[in-house]
């Protein structure tokens, strides 16, 4: 695995959203956030509570999970959570950070997971909001990721607004966005990219004031990801696209 691969920057970008002593959740089909949460446990000198869709609370897997729903993520846990418990934490204002997927994202950070094209005659019918429709507006912060960065994903107007509330942060192969003053703003661009490239490949206008190159991965982050993805299988499966 190249030291500063786009895949690594997405994982580290997500792990850097995690804060000390918070409650963090990663959901189904969320391998990169799962890796980010496990990286944070290994690489950072603070503790936090990690809950995952397999039901585990601070799991200690015997081996690297093969997916974000692997039963290993419930091994030797402090407790087991059912799905309704995740939602209950959010609606009671107790979920600090949740990682959720999105097919389209607009400048306010709102998400479309319902359809591409017109609702009554869509080009693509997507799976819908699921638990994200509850968690995105009720978690204190929600973050997402994309394995490609393009104008078909980062759009000026959603084809369908599935979830209201807006993402706090987004990690992509070329950049990191954060929510500021009600809209997504550029926090940084990765070493393989530039501010001009991010503007060219983003369909909505964004504030880039104060944005700068993304800090390179630390030795601890690199070692943690290498331990979790020793043969690069997760990176190959992610198929991160630079263009």
């Amino acid at each position: 695995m190249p030291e500063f691969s786009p895949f690594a920057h997405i994982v580290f970008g997500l792990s850097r959203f995690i804060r000390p002593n918070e409650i963090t959740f990663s959901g189904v089909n969320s391998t990169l956030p799962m890796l980010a949460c496990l990286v944070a446990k290994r690489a950072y000198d603070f503790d936090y509570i990690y809950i995952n869709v397999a039901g585990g609370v601070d799991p200690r897997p015997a081996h690297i999970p093969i997916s974000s729903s692997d039963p290993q993520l419930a091994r030797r846990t402090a407790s087991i959570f059912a799905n309704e418990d995740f939602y209950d934490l959010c609606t009671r204002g107790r979920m600090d950070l949740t990682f959720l997927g999105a097919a389209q994202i607009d400048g306010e950070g709102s998400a479309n997971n319902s359809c591409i094209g017109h609702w009554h005659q869509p080009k693509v019918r997507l799976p819908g909001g699921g638990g994200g429709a509850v968690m995105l507006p009720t978690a204190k912060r929600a973050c997402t990721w994309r394995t490609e960065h393009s104008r078909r994903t980062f759009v000026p107007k959603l084809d369908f607004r599935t979830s209201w509330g807006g993402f706090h942060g987004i990690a992509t192969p070329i950049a990191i966005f954060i929510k500021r003053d009600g809209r997504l703003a550029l926090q940084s661009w990765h070493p393989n990219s530039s501010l001009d490239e991010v503007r060219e490949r983003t369909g909505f206008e964004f504030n880039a004031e104060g944005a700068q190159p993304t800090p390179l991965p630390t030795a601890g982050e690199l070692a943690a990801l290498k331990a979790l993805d020793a043969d690069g299988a997760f990176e190959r499966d992610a198929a991160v696209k630079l263009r």
Side-chain angles (χ1 to χ4, degrees):
M1 180 182 73
E3 276 197 337
F4 307 134
S5 70
F7 168 82
H9 277 299
I10 296 174
V11 174
F12 301 145
L14 294 173
S15 66
R16 290 171 180 178
F17 288 134
I18 299 170
R19 299 174 183 172
N21 303 315
E22 289 193 332
I23 299 174
T24 297
F25 172 83
S26 68
V28 69
N29 295 328
S30 301
T31 301
L32 274 73
M34 176 197 73
L35 290 172
C37 291
L38 295 175
V39 162
K41 286 287 187 183
R42 291 169 177 252
Y44 302 150
D45 61 357
F46 62 78
D47 198 15
Y48 75 98
I49 297 172
Y50 171 38
I51 302 174
N52 59 70
V53 74
V57 179
D58 283 337
R60 287 182 282 173
H63 55 77
I64 305 307
I66 61 173
S67 77
S68 59
S69 302
D70 191 324
Q72 281 292 322
L73 288 169
R75 182 180 181 272
R76 298 184 68 186
T77 63
S79 179
I80 296 293
F81 263 51
N83 281 355
E84 56 266 28
D85 295 321
F86 308 145
Y87 309 142
D88 181 63
L89 271 178
C90 280
T91 56
R92 289 191 292 111
R94 293 296 308 280
M95 185 70 78
D96 296 297
L97 172 62
T98 183
F99 293 106
L100 302 168
Q104 284 184 330
I105 304 159
D106 67 11
E108 295 179 349
S110 293
N112 172 18
N113 282 320
S114 298
C115 68
I116 303 299
H118 193 278
W119 173 256
H120 294 292
Q121 292 184 312
K123 297 177 182 177
V124 179
R125 183 74 74 186
L126 300 170
V134 175
M135 302 177 91
L136 182 57
T138 58
K140 292 180 183 177
R141 301 189 324 282
C143 294
T144 193
W145 71 101
R146 294 295 303 172
T147 54
E148 68 163 331
H149 190 129
S150 69
R151 288 175 174 260
R152 71 176 185 173
T153 295
F154 295 95
V155 298
K157 183 178 179 181
L158 300 174
D159 291 350
F160 188 98
R161 179 174 291 187
T162 306
S163 305
W164 174 89
F167 288 108
H168 164 82
I170 302 171
T172 84
I174 64 172
I176 302 291
F177 285 91
I178 57 170
K179 178 71 76 64
R180 191 164 66 215
D181 299 326
R183 286 188 60 83
L184 291 175
L186 184 67
Q187 176 174 278
S188 66
W189 60 88
H190 301 332
N192 57 293
S193 186
S194 66
L195 174 56
D196 287 342
E197 182 182 10
V198 178
R199 288 196 188 280
E200 176 189 344
R201 293 170 62 177
T202 304
F204 53 78
E205 296 293 323
F206 59 83
N207 185 347
E209 182 178 355
Q212 56 189 344
T214 303
L216 295 177
T218 67
E221 287 172 331
L222 289 169
L225 183 55
K226 182 66 174 176
L228 291 165
D229 194 22
D231 61 359
F234 285 120
E235 180 160 7
R236 289 191 297 274
D237 288 346
V240 175
K241 299 177 182 178
L242 271 180
R243 296 299 305 183

